[in-house]
Amino acid sequence: MKDLTAQEEFNIQGIIREPHFSYIDSTLTNRKRVSYSVLARKEGDVLLIDSSGFLIDSVFAGITERHIEYIAKNGPKNYKENLFKILQDKEMLHGVSEIIQALDKELGENATQNRERINNVIRYIKDNRIVFEF
Amino acid sequence: MSVYPQQPNYSQKAPSPMDYDLQSEKQRIAESTEEIKKELLEKWQKRYANAQIFPDAILPMSSTLRDFLLSFQNTLFYNDLARKFNLNQKQRDALPQIIWQICLNKKWDQLGALIQNNLSIGLPIAEQIVASLNQNIILKARELSQQNFAGQGGLSDLKTESPENRTAKLTLNEALKQYPGIGEQLITSEHISLKNFPEPVRPSIKNWLADYTFTLGYEKHSSVERNNYVFHGSNSLHLSSADRQKLTYILSAYDTDVSITINKVLKQVMFPAVSSEPKISPVPKETSAPPTRVAQNMIPEIKAQRPELAHIQTSRPAQEPNSRTQPLQSAAIHQNSFFHNDAPSQTASMPARPAEVPAKPASVNDQKTSAANISFSSAQKLPYEKIYPVKSLPQQDATKPQPSEEKPHSFVIRPVFSQPEKKLETRPLPKNVINLKEDK
């Protein structure tokens, strides 16, 4: 392990498995940071996030179309259940909306690509609810 | 003078800010992160090795079809369709549910009715939507649903791996140890009841073995005991013959430790081909000729009466009816009928088995025989032949059931995918058929 200290290793593991616990104060900046970290992941790596993470707005806001397709095809029951649950959580969805608005704002005044991405993800889950509902 | 212990000289050992190489530090962290990811992935895979990925309802579906339906492209396609036909959100949301329903139940011909009912739209628009869905999703879905041979893990896996590398010969116990996922493979269709489990459980290999060992004990069992379980066990009592064959295969592999073939890519037991059609047992030479032979014997006679049938090939195909090839043939016919929606559906005129097309006809078509023109009065008929009243075959009503108050009439035995019915109306009946209508 490339001379990592135990602390460093622990931190890296935490970021991979529980990115949503990487901030204490849930400022928009912190939540955005988590969304970015999820957004940048490969499809396979997104499953390394603990299933509880998919109930959190900052994680959900980072999910891409490719991620959700991968989860639908390979994700265990609890992952999918949580993804379906968050769609019923108005508070979390509001949080998602806030984050993607902020992400879009960074891209430009009229940018909507993050909103479109999340809309697509939500639409995909609803279209394939048969796979997400157990 | 106080003497202080010698302090380490930090200023000399600590690297100076100039020595700190940010790039190499980043590299180190990135490499470590990759290693940690690998470790976590291994742990994750162990943890979720036996996890349920899909709800029970869609487990029987082939994985290629499932993956196809789960393609993100479909969501975009539904969006486009909604835009194109001005569907509201509710109507658009109904589309994927209809598609899933059709693919799950394999009721391919119900798309039109479901679209019209669920979307509450006019027939012309419904037809256009149906055509579009057929072209982009249903057609492919039908193909994939019929590809059971490749169905269990994605075509990509099968393409990349050579057949030799894909399979392994292992005993069931070894296979279960080596590929724990095999225990979750479903072998029958109905849920089974296990002792000490309040609810029925999935009919997986693991659960069947649990029931088997609970019922008969952990020791090895003879084939008699095994068959007794397979035919008279509480869970196996109502199994279909195909399911029963699979169960027998697994239990005998379990008892005898015979090597079975495992697909390493799909992590599944590969069952020997199981025929779902009733097998045609070979007829001994001493016995009288089977119906097909009777029919053949009559062909020259009929030809003599009807010169227009002279071109008919009278010899039977060299190969015996092979039930293993039949599904493919029927599949091809299914697709053909699917392409020709405008023509009256021949399957619709068969009340007994409306959704299925008899398997044999593909080979009949291949031979270009006009068997539709051959009439028999014999009550015997080939499995793929149906009886139709001669009188009740007007061209426009061919698909509708005929009124029962018709007078007694002669029958024509014809393959279901025969030539147009008008030939049946005009042609004279053979001599061995008594036309009671004319006699009156």
Side-chain angles (χ1 to χ4, degrees):
Chain A
M1 209 64 74
K2 299 284 174 189
D3 306 325
L4 281 187
T5 63
Q7 184 62 45
E8 282 174 328
E9 196 178 326
F10 180 78
N11 285 344
I12 292 173
Q13 279 197 16
I15 290 167
I16 294 171
R17 293 182 56 196
E18 290 155 339
H20 48 296
F21 290 148
S22 66
Y23 54 81
I24 297 166
D25 55 335
S26 57
T27 59
L28 192 58
T29 313
N30 278 338
R31 286 150 68 210
K32 246 168 42 181
R33 191 166 46 78
V34 171
S35 298
Y36 269 131
S37 82
V38 175
L39 190 62
R41 287 181 191 226
K42 293 178 195 162
E43 295 98 284
D45 293 349
V46 85
L47 283 180
L48 294 179
I49 299 172
D50 190 82
S51 62
S52 61
F54 293 96
L55 289 167
I56 308 297
D57 53 4
S58 54
V59 172
F60 190 84
I63 294 175
T64 66
E65 293 94 337
R66 273 202 267 173
H67 288 152
I68 196 68
E69 186 178 329
Y70 188 85
I71 295 170
K73 290 176 182 174
N74 303 290
K77 180 182 172 182
N78 49 348
Y79 282 71
K80 293 178 184 174
E81 279 177 337
N82 287 349
L83 279 165
F84 201 72
K85 264 185 212 165
I86 196 174
L87 298 189
Q88 273 106 52
D89 189 334
K90 281 184 184 169
E91 206 175 312
M92 279 296 161
L93 283 184
H94 180 70
V96 172
S97 179
E98 265 182 4
I99 294 168
I100 56 170
Q101 213 171 331
L103 293 177
D104 275 338
K105 212 170 182 182
E106 281 184 7
L107 295 174
E109 269 307 302
N110 299 318
T112 57
Q113 68 188 64
N114 285 295
R115 179 161 296 279
E116 278 171 22
R117 173 174 58 80
I118 286 299
N119 281 342
N120 281 337
V121 168
I122 294 173
R123 177 64 39 224
Y124 179 88
I125 295 172
K126 286 184 175 173
D127 283 353
N128 300 296
R129 59 187 302 160
I130 191 165
V131 172
F132 287 87
E133 264 183 324
F134 283 80
Chain B
M1 193 179 87
S2 59
V3 177
Y4 295 98
Q6 197 175 358
Q7 297 288 321
N9 190 348
Y10 291 109
S11 60
Q12 278 180 4
K13 285 190 178 176
S16 72
M18 297 303 287
D19 291 340
Y20 184 79
D21 185 354
L22 180 62
Q23 201 56 39
S24 67
E25 189 67 7
K26 276 184 177 176
Q27 180 77 14
R28 184 178 71 92
I29 297 290
E31 284 173 11
S32 304
T33 304
E34 282 308 309
E35 281 180 42
I36 291 172
K37 264 187 200 172
K38 272 183 197 169
E39 273 180 20
L40 288 176
L41 191 63
E42 278 170 24
K43 281 183 194 168
W44 189 93
Q45 281 169 343
K46 274 184 194 165
R47 184 179 170 192
Y48 289 105
N50 294 322
Q52 187 178 0
I53 307 285
F54 295 103
D56 289 344
I58 63 163
L59 281 177
M61 189 180 263
S62 84
S63 59
T64 42
L65 173 58
R66 210 161 47 206
D67 284 356
F68 168 69
L69 291 176
L70 285 174
S71 163
F72 185 77
Q73 293 304 316
N74 292 339
T75 294
L76 297 179
F77 170 69
Y78 298 132
N79 289 345
D80 288 344
L81 212 58
R83 220 171 293 133
K84 190 175 167 188
F85 294 103
N86 280 328
L87 301 180
N88 61 33
Q89 196 60 50
K90 200 180 164 191
Q91 288 170 323
R92 183 248 173 254
D93 290 349
L95 293 175
Q97 310 312 324
I98 291 170
I99 294 293
W100 273 105
Q101 199 182 329
I102 286 172
C103 293
L104 271 175
N105 302 323
K106 298 190 177 177
K107 302 261 173 85
W108 311 107
D109 47 354
Q110 289 186 359
L111 180 62
L114 284 171
I115 290 286
Q116 229 181 318
N117 292 342
N118 286 285
L119 272 58
S120 310
I121 49 173
L123 188 63
I125 296 177
E127 276 174 356
Q128 286 181 55
I129 293 173
V130 167
S132 194
L133 285 170
N134 275 334
Q135 195 184 341
N136 291 284
I137 296 182
I138 296 291
L139 195 62
K140 177 84 174 160
R142 282 181 79 169
E143 260 175 42
L144 294 174
S145 78
Q146 287 154 4
Q147 286 176 354
N148 286 333
F149 69 95
Q152 306 302 316
L155 287 171
S156 54
D157 288 346
L158 295 173
K159 280 174 188 165
T160 51
E161 288 272 349
S162 69
E164 295 77 28
N165 293 340
R166 279 206 303 268
T167 58
K169 289 263 184 191
L170 297 169
T171 65
L172 185 60
N173 284 332
E174 286 169 350
L176 287 170
K177 275 179 202 161
Q178 220 164 315
Y179 306 105
I182 284 174
E184 297 302 321
Q185 182 182 348
L186 302 183
I187 50 174
T188 57
S189 40
E190 299 289 321
H191 278 52
I192 59 173
S193 305
L194 285 185
K195 174 86 175 168
N196 300 332
F197 275 77
E199 287 178 4
V201 295
R202 297 165 68 240
S204 60
I205 291 177
K206 211 167 64 179
N207 288 338
W208 270 112
L209 288 178
D211 184 53
Y212 182 59
T213 49
F214 178 79
T215 311
L216 297 185
Y218 281 94
E219 69 277 7
K220 305 289 179 196
H221 306 288
S222 68
S223 60
V224 176
E225 287 175 303
R226 208 161 46 236
N227 282 343
N228 197 34
Y229 170 81
V230 168
F231 283 92
H232 306 295
S234 57
N235 282 320
S236 49
L237 206 57
H238 302 294
L239 287 182
S240 69
S241 92
D243 283 353
R244 192 165 276 137
Q245 281 180 54
K246 281 185 181 177
L247 180 60
T248 309
Y249 182 75
I250 289 294
L251 297 181
S252 112
Y254 177 74
D255 278 336
T256 57
D257 278 341
V258 168
S259 295
I260 53 173
T261 312
I262 306 294
N263 189 320
K264 291 191 287 186
V265 178
L266 312 173
K267 294 181 180 55
Q268 289 195 336
V269 174
M270 290 174 74
F271 289 97
V274 177
S275 164
S276 57
E277 297 288 324
K279 282 181 183 171
I280 300 169
S281 54
V283 180
K285 282 180 182 175
E286 305 83 60
T287 60
S288 59
T292 51
R293 187 64 64 196
V294 172
Q296 287 238 310
N297 293 341
M298 293 175 76
I299 290 172
E301 196 181 316
I302 295 161
K303 276 186 179 177
Q305 293 165 14
R306 300 180 54 204
E308 73 270 17
L309 296 179
H311 66 281
I312 292 177
Q313 188 184 338
T314 53
S315 61
R316 283 179 59 74
Q319 69 185 75
E320 284 297 310
N322 184 352
S323 58
R324 286 175 64 184
T325 61
Q326 285 178 356
L328 285 176
Q329 291 167 349
S330 67
I333 290 153
H334 247 303
Q335 286 187 352
N336 285 344
S337 65
F338 180 74
F339 283 125
H340 302 292
N341 275 344
D342 299 336
S345 165
Q346 304 221 17
T347 54
S349 62
M350 294 185 290
R353 297 174 69 192
E356 290 181 24
V357 177
K360 185 69 188 167
S363 62
V364 175
N365 277 349
D366 291 344
Q367 294 175 58
K368 300 188 189 311
T369 54
S370 309
N373 297 333
I374 305 168
S375 303
F376 305 102
S377 58
S378 168
Q380 290 176 311
K381 59 183 186 294
L382 298 175
Y384 54 88
E385 292 173 329
K386 293 287 172 185
I387 297 176
Y388 294 87
V390 171
K391 185 69 181 172
S392 58
L393 279 173
Q395 203 169 353
Q396 67 274 22
D397 292 326
T399 59
K400 294 178 184 173
Q402 299 307 310
S404 57
E405 62 267 19
E406 283 277 313
K407 295 285 180 192
H409 37 241
S410 61
F411 292 93
V412 166
I413 301 175
R414 67 177 181 89
V416 279
F417 26 91
S418 57
Q419 304 301 315
E421 282 90 356
K422 61 182 176 186
K423 286 187 182 176
L424 293 173
E425 283 187 314
T426 53
R427 64 181 166 68
L429 290 170
K431 282 182 179 172
N432 58 348
V433 176
I434 301 165
N435 191 336
L436 296 176
K437 285 267 176 190
E438 284 177 6
D439 287 349
K440 266 200 311 180

